[in-house]
Amino acid sequence: MAKTTSMLPLLLLLATAATSAWEMNIRMPTDRLVKDGGAALIHALRPVLGSGGQLAARAGVACDSWRVGVEAHNVIGWKTVPARCEGYVGHYMLGGHYRRDSALVVDEAIAYADKLTLAGNGKEVWIFDIDETSLSNLPYYATHGFGATPYNDTSFREYVAEGSAPALPETRRLYRRLLEIGVKPVFLTGRTEDQRAITVANLRRQGYSGWEKLLLKPAVHAAGELQGSAVAYKSGERQKLQNAGFIIVGNIGDQWSDILGAPEGARTFKLPDPMYYIG
Amino acid sequence: MAKTTSMLPLLLLLATAATSAWEMNIRMPTDRLVKDGGAALIHALRPVLGSGGQLAARAGVACDSWRVGVEAHNVIGWKTVPARCEGYVGHYMLGGHYRRDSALVVDEAIAYADKLTLAGNGKEVWIFDIDETSLSNLPYYATHGFGATPYNDTSFREYVAEGSAPALPETRRLYRRLLEIGVKPVFLTGRTEDQRAITVANLRRQGYSGWEKLLLKPAVHAAGELQGSAVAYKSGERQKLQNAGFIIVGNIGDQWSDILGAPEGARTFKLPDPMYYIG
C-alpha cells in the first residue's frame, strides 16, 4: 500500500516536469489506460482515494456525488473544489477516469455528427471551447491543487503564455472527424485578443488546423474577468454567427456557460470538468 | 467472494417481496448506507461489479461514464440501458450510491431555497416531477432489468395502479422544507388524469400533503404516450402557471425533459436516473 500511495507524486512529476512532444503525451493519461479501464494504474490507486469516491464519502464529503452534481448542473457558482476532494479530483483527472468520461462524450458527438445531412453550402459550423475542451490545462492545475486552491489569474495567464497546453485527445478526434465530414470548426473562448498569437501557436502545435474562426474576447483583460458573464458573451457570439448565415450544428465545452443561452446550437455536449466553474 | 456475489438476488428479494410500511423502508437503501458511504454493503459489492465501474469498463462498456453522460445530457434518446450495464445500474440503484447522489442534489436545492426572499403573497411555487422524483418506482424496475429491458407500458401501469411506490426520501425532505419556508409545491407529471386517484393516495401514503396543484396529462392514455414530447407538455404547463401569476422559483425532476424548455423555473435540479430516458 505504501507503494500505491506514492504514485500520485510520481504522476504529478510526470504531469509537470517536461515540455517535449513525447512528454506532452505523458501529461495526459495514455490511451491504453482509457481502453482497459485503467486497470494497471487506477486499480492500485482506487482503494486509497479512488474516483469511485468511497473513501472520500466516508470522510464526510461524497466527492463523486459532488462531481456528478457539477456535471449535471446541480452544483453551480462554486469558487473552489471542496478541500477534502482535492485528492479525489486529482486521481480523477490523472487516472483513466477523466479520459474515459471524455471519450464517451466525444463518441456521442461523433455518432451525432456522422448522421447529419449537410446542405452542401459550407455553412454548418461546430463551436469548440478551448480551455479544458480543445486544450487541457491539466499540467497547470496539477501543481495548483486541481482547483482546490483559489484561481490565480496571474499565474494562469503565465501558463497560457507558454503555449504548452496539450490537446485533449478526445476533442481533437472530434475536430478532425468534423473536418472530414465538412463541418467547419469555430473556436469560441473566454481567452482575450492579447492571447491570440500564443493560442494559435498552441493549437497548431497540438494538431489543430483548418478552423473557420477563432473568436476571442475583445476586451483588454482585467483581473477576474473570466469569472464574468460567459453565458451572455458566448451566446451573443453564437447569435452573430447565426446572423451571418452559419448553422450551428453542434457545440462542445467543459462549462455549462459554454452551452447554455440561445442560440445554443442544434446539439450541445458537456465535457467533464471538476476543477473550476465559470458562470 | 461467493457470498458477495449472492447479495444482488437478496437485495432484489428485499426490494420486491413486501408491501408493509417497514418493508417499504427496506426497498430504498437506508439512510445509514448513505451517511457512511455504503461501507457495509457497497464495499462488499463493489469489487464484483461496483458502481465505480471498473469491472464494467474492462468488459468494454464504461458504465459509469455512460451514467454520467446521461446525467450531463450528453447521452440522449436512448431506449434501454446498455445490456452490459444492467448489473452496474442495479448496484448503483440499490446500493448507497443513488441515495448519496440524490442527497447531494437535494442539499443544493435546500441551500438555494433557504436563501430565497419571498414576496409574501403566496405566489412562489416549486415544480415537482413524480416518478423517480417524488416517488420511486425502484421496486418495479428491480424486477424489470433496471431499464435494460424495453419499457412495458401495460405492466408499468399495473404497478402504478397498486399505489405502492415509496417516496424518494431526499425529495420528500425538500418538499417539507419548502412548505416550512412558504413555497408551494406543484406536482407536474407525465401520469394521466385516469391515474389521479391512485397517485393522490400514493403520495399521501408516502407523507406528501399540502400541495398547491397536481397537474396530470389530460389526454386519455395511449400506449407509449409517455415517450412523447414531455418538454413541450411540461413547459406549456409551466407557462400556464406563470400566466396565472405564479413565480416558479424551482423545478426538480429526474429527466432533462422535466427541466428544459422555457419557462424552466428560476433554478432547476436534475435528480439521477440511469434507468430510463423520456425526451
Side-chain angles (χ1 to χ4, degrees), chain A residues 25 38 85 88 112 130 156 170 174 237-238 258:
Chain A
N25 288 335
C85 296
Y88 168 84
Y112 161 73
I130 292 184
F156 183 68
E170 281 68 32
L174 169 63
E237 292 300 308
R238 289 193 299 270
D258 293 329

Side-chain angles (χ1 to χ4, degrees), chain B residues 17-224:
Chain B
T19 54
S20 81
W22 182 81
E23 284 161 33
M24 281 291 184
N25 288 336
I26 291 187
R27 289 183 170 187
M28 298 297 292
T30 65
D31 283 338
R32 197 188 62 76
L33 258 181
V34 178
K35 281 174 191 153
D36 72 2
L41 188 58
I42 289 293
H43 184 70
L45 289 172
R46 199 162 289 237
V48 181
L49 195 69
S51 51
Q54 282 309 106
L55 197 123
R58 276 181 233 164
V61 180
C63 294
D64 69 334
S65 295
W66 177 83
R67 176 177 61 83
V68 175
V70 168
E71 293 310 322
H73 206 225
N74 290 312
V75 183
I76 67 174
W78 48 282
K79 300 295 183 193
T80 54
V81 169
R84 281 176 171 170
C85 296
E86 176 179 347
Y88 167 84
V89 170
H91 282 78
Y92 173 80
M93 293 301 298
L94 292 175
H97 205 160
Y98 171 59
R99 288 289 305 277
R100 273 205 310 281
D101 287 355
S102 301
L104 183 130
V105 177
V106 164
D107 288 348
E108 292 293 315
I110 289 178
Y112 161 72
D114 281 348
K115 284 186 195 146
L116 287 172
T117 306
L118 304 186
N121 58 5
K123 282 302 196 179
E124 289 95 351
V125 295
W126 191 293
I127 310 291
F128 285 80
D129 174 51
I130 291 183
D131 294 296
E132 266 54 69
T133 300
S134 303
L135 299 175
S136 169
N137 301 311
L138 190 48
Y140 175 83
Y141 285 101
T143 54
H144 291 80
F146 293 105
T149 50
Y151 175 70
N152 183 323
D153 194 62
T154 306
S155 72
F156 182 69
R157 287 179 71 83
E158 283 169 7
Y159 167 77
V160 167
E162 292 172 17
S164 64
L168 188 63
E170 282 68 33
T171 303
R172 192 173 50 194
R173 176 161 60 92
L174 170 63
Y175 183 98
R176 288 174 174 168
R177 182 72 191 135
L178 291 172
L179 284 179
E180 286 170 9
I181 293 169
V183 174
K184 293 179 175 170
V186 169
F187 289 112
L188 174 55
T189 175
R191 291 188 180 196
T192 45
E193 278 292 354
D194 56 301
Q195 297 171 311
R196 177 178 289 273
I198 194 65
T199 298
V200 167
N202 198 156
L203 286 168
R204 290 201 191 287
R205 209 175 282 153
Q206 289 299 317
Y208 290 100
S209 61
W211 56 79
E212 177 73 15
K213 288 173 186 289
L214 167 56
L215 303 171
L216 300 104
K217 283 179 102 167
V220 173
H221 182 84

Side-chain angles (χ1 to χ4, degrees), chain A residues 37 54 65 74 101 267 270, chain B residues 37 54 65 74 101 267 270:
Chain A
Q54 281 311 104
S65 295
N74 290 312
D101 287 355
R267 194 160 161 200
K270 168 72 177 72
Chain B
Q54 282 309 106
S65 295
N74 290 312
D101 287 355
R267 194 159 160 201
K270 167 72 176 74

Side-chain angles (χ1 to χ4, degrees), chain A residues 90-202:
Chain A
H91 282 77
Y92 173 80
M93 293 301 298
L94 292 174
H97 205 160
Y98 171 60
R99 289 289 305 276
R100 274 205 310 282
D101 287 355
S102 301
L104 182 131
V105 178
V106 164
D107 288 348
E108 291 293 315
I110 289 178
Y112 161 73
D114 281 348
K115 283 187 195 144
L116 287 172
T117 306
L118 304 186
N121 58 5
K123 284 300 196 181
E124 289 95 352
V125 296
W126 190 294
I127 310 291
F128 286 81
D129 174 51
I130 292 184
D131 294 295
E132 267 53 69
T133 300
S134 303
L135 299 175
S136 169
N137 302 311
L138 191 48
Y140 174 84
Y141 284 101
T143 55
H144 291 79
F146 293 106
T149 50
Y151 175 70
N152 183 321
D153 194 62
T154 307
S155 72
F156 183 68
R157 286 179 71 83
E158 284 169 7
Y159 167 78
V160 168
E162 293 172 16
S164 63
L168 187 64
E170 281 68 32
T171 303
R172 191 172 51 194
R173 177 161 59 93
L174 169 63
Y175 183 98
R176 288 173 174 169
R177 181 72 190 134
L178 290 172
L179 284 178
E180 286 170 9
I181 294 169
V183 174
K184 293 177 174 169
V186 169
F187 289 112
L188 175 55
T189 175
R191 292 188 178 195
T192 45
E193 278 293 352
D194 56 300
Q195 297 171 310
R196 178 178 288 274
I198 194 65
T199 299
V200 167
N202 198 156

